[in-house]
Amino acid sequence: MSHTPEVVTEKKFTLADHRFMARAIELAKKGHYTTSPNPRVGCVLVSYENRESGEGKVIGEGYHQKAGQGHAEVNALLDARQRHVALIKGATAYVTLEPCSHFGLTPPCAQALIDAGVSHVIAAMVDPNPQVSGNGLNLLEQAGIHTQSGLLESAAEALNVGFIKRMTTGLPYVRLKLAASLDGKTAMQSGESKWITSAEAREDVQRLRAQSCALITGADSVLVDNAKMTVRWSELGSLQKSYPEKKMRQPLRVIIDSQNRLTPDLALFMQQSPIILVRTLSSAKNEKPLENLAVWPHFVEQVAVKANKQGKVCLTELLTLLAKRGMNEILLESGAHLAGAFMEQNLVDELVLYQAPKLMGGDGKNLTEMPTITKLTQAKPLVISDIRMVGCDVRITAKFDNIAIK
């Protein structure tokens, strides 16, 4: 019979528990740009002389750094063995996510904690992965280890919004980045748009790219700007100190090119990192056969997905495909039509808008195009979570309140 782990409200956790879990969350953040497709996880091992008084000593710390390498618990145990091996037995493990119970690229962390002889495991949250989802804590309980979960849960969930959404819905977390003048224009009527926002805002966008598993854009954006759609390490600013260029991970670049307009000589293909060119697969008799129309570099893959009623790429099917490939967080950087299509279909989770202190006039290009929105009652509601200055620009972060959309 399986044992349901004890879920404890924060009032029943001690101040020391809060302090050590907060440290585990800070450790998890160190893997912010590198763990994909795995979740970001931190772990702190504590030896208590007197748990009631909160007199605990940190004996090991670790975080997950990269898929295929040691998980947070394993790294914390390794650290403890190097520093305080005699204190591991009977220690308490604070981990931001339920220890895994299955074999993946590495052995299960729950078993590693059992073998090490810890006596108490506190998880910030239960793993949403169906392969784990309570099994890790059950395995620990069956081995005689006391378990609790729910401490600083919301902070732990914020670490892995993409992983949680992918595991619970089968879709990645989509973050839409937009940049505009104060009057909502993205370019002059002529198409001139460099640069609306400041260097600081563009640096901030590079960090958004660096944390993303994949970038999505349309052929128009690539052709107009001859864009590379890569993370530029030289523009990562202060992040460079903790994120060496040799460790930098380029996100998958996903380009929707239904009309086969891209050519191999574009700047997009100068960077040797994975690219998916997305086409539509239609039953129309006059459709061109799906085949290479040019000689593409080895890192370019062409993928066909079904078309929607308008003959465009089915965006839900595209996102489902990316989720199946382990993409947790998607950054959408596109023109007004593609951005609008994602929003019209309620496929965007979060908006990051950079507004520059400029007025560009009524003839400029609009921020988005959403032709199905014809009444105020159809407007997309947002909940603003953050507003701050980035250089001379304002950055607004907001979540789409899809529950309120009818």
Side-chain angles (χ1 to χ4, degrees):
M1 179 182 296
S2 63
H3 178 77
T4 302
E6 180 186 0
V7 179
V8 183
T9 61
E10 290 201 6
K11 290 181 180 179
K12 293 187 179 180
F13 290 112
T14 68
L15 290 176
D17 289 335
H18 281 79
R19 184 171 74 253
F20 294 131
M21 186 61 80
R23 174 58 182 164
I25 288 171
E26 288 304 309
L27 289 169
K29 291 178 181 179
K30 292 186 176 184
H32 191 74
Y33 299 94
T34 59
T35 64
S36 172
N38 290 355
R40 301 152 182 143
V41 184
C43 179
V44 175
L45 293 174
V46 177
S47 177
Y48 280 98
E49 291 184 11
N50 184 337
R51 180 168 176 77
E52 295 301 320
S53 67
E55 296 175 2
K57 176 181 181 180
V58 174
I59 60 171
E61 294 185 335
Y63 68 97
H64 184 44
Q65 299 179 32
K66 187 177 181 180
Q69 297 181 5
H71 288 189
E73 300 93 324
V74 172
N75 289 334
L77 286 169
L78 179 61
D79 183 41
R81 289 188 179 107
Q82 293 173 341
R83 297 196 295 158
H84 303 285
V85 64
L87 299 178
I88 296 176
K89 189 172 184 180
T92 297
Y94 296 86
V95 59
T96 58
L97 185 68
E98 174 187 5
C100 61
S101 57
H102 66 290
F103 280 88
L105 295 176
T106 60
C109 294
Q111 189 61 52
L113 293 171
I114 293 169
D115 294 342
V118 303
S119 64
H120 192 176
V121 174
I122 299 178
M125 62 175 288
V126 173
D127 195 330
N129 184 347
Q131 290 184 295
V132 184
S133 194
N135 293 330
L137 293 176
N138 281 331
L139 184 63
L140 293 166
E141 285 279 0
Q142 290 166 8
I145 297 173
H146 181 49
T147 68
Q148 294 173 274
S149 63
L151 173 59
L152 300 185
E153 186 174 25
S154 60
E157 289 174 344
L159 289 169
N160 292 299
V161 290
F163 178 76
I164 294 170
K165 188 182 178 192
R166 180 167 67 89
M167 287 297 165
T168 55
T169 70
L171 293 172
Y173 187 89
V174 178
R175 187 176 282 113
L176 170 61
K177 168 259 169 181
L178 295 172
S181 61
L182 281 181
D183 52 351
K185 303 301 178 181
T186 61
M188 303 303 294
Q189 189 176 37
S190 64
E192 180 187 0
S193 63
K194 291 187 177 179
W195 293 101
I196 294 176
T197 54
S198 64
E200 291 86 352
R202 298 195 297 275
E203 180 182 296
D204 201 57
V205 171
Q206 292 301 310
R207 288 193 285 271
L208 285 180
R209 288 185 180 183
Q211 76 181 50
S212 303
C213 303
L215 309 178
I216 294 180
T217 193
D220 282 336
S221 296
V222 172
L223 291 169
V224 169
D225 298 327
N226 196 19
K228 294 182 180 178
M229 302 305 296
T230 55
V231 179
R232 297 187 289 273
W233 188 83
S234 61
E235 295 181 25
L236 288 178
S238 59
L239 182 58
Q240 292 175 334
K241 296 178 182 178
S242 58
Y243 194 27
E245 186 173 13
K246 63 182 180 180
K247 292 186 178 181
M248 190 176 76
R249 172 187 59 85
Q250 287 291 348
L252 172 68
R253 292 172 286 169
V254 181
I255 318 299
I256 298 176
D257 182 26
S258 300
Q259 300 177 44
N260 300 311
R261 289 181 293 159
L262 300 186
T263 55
D265 59 329
L266 292 167
L268 179 77
F269 304 104
M270 299 300 105
Q271 169 74 45
Q272 292 195 35
S273 64
I275 294 173
I276 291 180
L277 300 181
V278 184
R279 322 289 193 188
T280 55
L281 184 59
S282 171
S283 58
K285 293 181 180 180
N286 62 351
E287 184 183 31
K288 295 179 181 179
L290 185 67
E291 59 185 12
N292 288 346
L293 301 180
V295 179
W296 299 103
H298 66 89
F299 51 85
V300 176
E301 177 185 0
Q302 294 188 89
V303 171
V305 300
K306 68 181 181 182
N308 59 22
K309 293 180 180 179
Q310 292 74 41
K312 305 291 185 180
V313 165
C314 177
L315 299 179
T316 300
E317 183 170 313
L318 172 59
L319 291 178
T320 301
L321 180 150
L322 293 175
K324 289 179 178 178
R325 295 192 179 198
M327 303 291 110
N328 293 325
E329 296 179 28
I330 305 294
L331 182 62
L332 175 60
E333 292 191 67
S334 70
H337 292 284
L338 185 56
F342 268 89
M343 287 189 286
E344 282 180 309
Q345 296 173 46
N346 299 330
L347 295 174
V348 179
D349 297 285
E350 181 178 303
L351 169 68
V352 181
L353 171 62
Y354 299 87
Q355 283 200 291
K358 296 182 175 77
L359 298 174
M360 295 170 59
D363 291 334
K365 295 185 180 297
N366 290 329
L367 190 64
T368 63
E369 297 290 343
M370 292 189 283
T372 64
I373 306 294
T374 59
K375 299 178 181 178
L376 187 57
T377 55
Q378 296 174 304
K380 301 297 182 182
L382 292 158
V383 178
I384 294 175
S385 58
D386 183 74
I387 301 177
R388 68 182 63 196
M389 298 297 298
V390 179
C392 62
D393 304 313
V394 177
R395 187 187 74 191
I396 301 172
T397 303
K399 299 289 182 68
F400 279 80
D401 189 8
N402 291 331
I403 296 175
I405 296 175
K406 299 180 180 179

